[in-house]
Amino acid sequence: MKKHYQEIVDEVFGSMYKHRTLRTLFDPGSYEYSQTTIEKKREILNKLLESGKITIQEIEKGYKHFYGKELSKKAYVSDSFDEGLKIISDKTDFK
């Protein structure tokens, strides 16, 4: 991945986008997650993927690295990615 996933989120949604860390999508235990509906989460993820600037695998790698390594005090956030993706992907195939 050439750019950090948050830079790509900024490009797709604008630099002041409040969900740029993507915890709203992938961290069911967070305050951010509770602020959007499942439909909105799907819309956000679809828009990112449809931009062609990033894949779900690149998002996963960047998210897990950011929360697992860069913010080592938040490794539990990194661990939540798979659960969050499972919840929002319900019968939807994100590639």
Side-chain angles (χ1 to χ4, degrees), residues 20-79:
R20 75 186 301 265
T21 65
L22 299 184
R23 284 186 77 178
T24 193
L25 302 181
F26 303 120
D27 184 10
S30 73
Y31 171 78
E32 294 93 333
Y33 189 89
S34 69
Q35 298 303 297
T36 57
T37 65
I38 294 297
E39 291 76 20
K40 182 64 176 174
K41 292 173 195 340
R42 288 179 182 147
E43 180 184 315
I44 293 167
L45 186 54
N46 279 326
K47 186 168 182 176
L48 273 172
L49 298 176
E50 289 171 359
S51 75
K53 295 176 182 246
I54 195 165
T55 65
I56 192 67
Q57 292 84 6
E58 291 168 329
I59 293 171
E60 177 181 19
K61 182 178 178 182
Y63 184 90
K64 287 182 174 182
H65 181 266
F66 180 69
Y67 284 108
K69 302 234 191 270
E70 292 180 38
L71 299 177
S72 59
K73 292 182 181 178
K74 294 200 175 196
Y76 65 92
V77 176
S78 173
D79 295 340

